[in-house]
DNA sequence: GTTTGCATGTAAACGGTTACATGATTGG
DNA sequence: CCAATCATGTAACCGTTTACATGCAAAC
């Protein structure tokens, strides 16, 4: 899912500025499964406009850059739906933490401990974020609940198994 | 975690060719959390060699390109450990499926059904792959078990909640 | 006889991140 | 007074994917 498609999707919910689209990512629980930065959103919106898939309306503001409010066109809707009908790319889950833990036996015990602390905290924060999220469609509820399920499962697993790595690699410390 | 670091990590387990490193990704359960293709592995190994972090030994073969067997150097080990001591980037989970389901209400019921079928199958296959995997270190066991935990939780969730999206969006079909 | 496995590598294209540039307003 | 929020955008850089190029051997 490239940033253009993601922007189109968000615009099916209603018009928005580039800034607001980014905020949706940071707040609404979208970012658990898709990502985009300003550096990719703004160029994406320009291109979508050129391609006639979205329209812009500039709202003048005092002492601020104009708000550029984007709305999806009929062509945009068609193309977005078409992209959802194509085979979807597979999930990708990348975890530097898990990779690092593959080598826990090479690391100082303190480092393994710290890595777990940080990772647990990150997962707890993401779970808390989802607990606060509220949905407008069945799909959003589904995404939120799936996210919660995953984070909860991961956290449970970490609590049960972190000792395996934190003790296994430093028998001398016992 | 860039490909260079990943290659270094794999080489801490013993020497290997680029081809074998790729196979580890495809088979050993590594690919659930990190990824790399030939197009990135071969250049990565060349660069690591130039930087003195790995060494190559060419094994001549009849009627085949020479096997280039790479092994990690002391400098490579140091740098690899150093990279694991730095703060680790956060996990990224990207899912085109979940993104598409955010818009299930815009899709034909058949499409939603098919998407679920495909996604369930993908997760089942990955789980089966992990069931076959065997570990050599505590870290590997940890990674395998965490992967299993996640896939199992996702599959359970899908079985319980797919009806929410498959029926909610086609009340006329009742 | 076709596919799979072994085995290496290059080059172009792609997509995205990061950092930079600008600047007023509001809240702590 | 400083940080955060609002608001847009560009450009350089980075890393990776994809497609291409080559070619024999073994298995089905």
């Amino acid at each position: 899912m490239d940033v253009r498609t993601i922007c189109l999707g968000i615009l099916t919910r209603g018009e928005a500025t580039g800034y607001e689209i980014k905020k949706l990512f940071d707040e609404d629980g979208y970012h658990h499964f898709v990502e985009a930065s300003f550096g990719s959103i703004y160029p994406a919106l320009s291109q979508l406009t050129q391609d006639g898939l979205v329209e812009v309306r500039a709202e003048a503001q005092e002492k601020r850059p104009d708000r550029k409010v984007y709305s999806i066109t009929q062509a945009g809707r068609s193309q977005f739906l078409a992209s959802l009908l194509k085979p979807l790319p597979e999930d990708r889950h990348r975890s530097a933490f898990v990779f690092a833990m593959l080598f826990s036996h090479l690391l100082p015990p303190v480092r393994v401990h710290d890595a777990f602390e940080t990772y647990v905290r990150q997962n707890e924060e993401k779970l808390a974020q989802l607990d606060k999220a509220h949905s407008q469609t069945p799909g959003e509820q589904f995404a939120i609940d799936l996210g919660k399920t995953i984070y909860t499962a991961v956290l449970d697993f970490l609590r049960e198994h972190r000792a395996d790595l934190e003790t296994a690699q430093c028998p001398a410390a016992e």
Side-chain angles (χ1 to χ4, degrees), chain A:
Chain A
M1 289 291 122
D2 55 40
V3 176
R4 282 195 304 286
T5 307
I6 295 169
C7 288
L8 280 182
I10 287 173
L11 292 174
T12 63
R13 305 176 14 151
E15 50 178 40
T17 66
Y19 190 83
E20 287 164 353
I21 289 174
K22 180 67 166 73
K23 264 198 2 191
L24 273 178
F25 275 99
D26 294 339
E27 291 162 15
D28 252 41
Y30 273 73
H31 68 113
H32 296 273
F33 299 105
V34 284
E35 276 179 327
S37 62
F38 281 129
S40 57
I41 289 171
Y42 285 120
L45 289 171
S46 301
Q47 213 190 308
L48 288 170
T49 309
Q50 281 192 332
D51 295 348
L53 304 176
V54 303
E55 283 171 349
V56 209
R57 167 168 52 81
E59 280 182 8
Q61 296 194 127
E62 285 163 26
K63 320 246 187 181
R64 289 247 176 101
D66 289 1
R67 276 165 57 88
K68 290 197 177 175
V69 185
Y70 292 89
S71 48
I72 193 166
T73 65
Q74 199 49 52
R77 268 172 213 281
S78 305
Q79 170 142 340
F80 177 63
L81 282 183
S83 73
L84 294 188
L85 294 176
K86 286 189 291 191
L88 303 167
E90 285 196 35
D91 280 21
R92 299 179 159 193
H93 187 104
R94 296 197 189 179
S95 177
F97 168 75
V98 174
F99 176 73
M101 287 309 103
L102 289 173
F103 306 96
S104 64
H105 53 103
L106 304 177
L107 294 171
V110 196
R111 175 56 182 145
V112 177
H113 180 78
D114 286 353
F116 266 98
E117 286 297 305
T118 305
Y119 193 61
V120 166
R121 207 181 317 120
Q122 276 168 14
N123 279 276
E124 281 171 348
E125 273 164 28
K126 286 176 182 168
L127 182 56
Q129 212 169 22
L130 282 179
D131 276 328
K132 282 184 289 181
H134 52 283
S135 64
Q136 285 148 348
T137 65
E140 271 177 45
Q141 192 59 50
F142 176 83
I144 291 168
D145 290 342
L146 177 54
K148 285 188 200 174
T149 299
I150 294 171
Y151 291 126
T152 303
V154 169
L155 282 165
D156 286 348
F157 181 87
L158 294 175
R159 280 182 203 111
E160 269 183 63
H161 294 275
R162 62 184 290 180
D164 302 348
L165 296 190
E166 289 194 43
T167 61
Q169 46 109 52
C170 54
E174 302 296 331

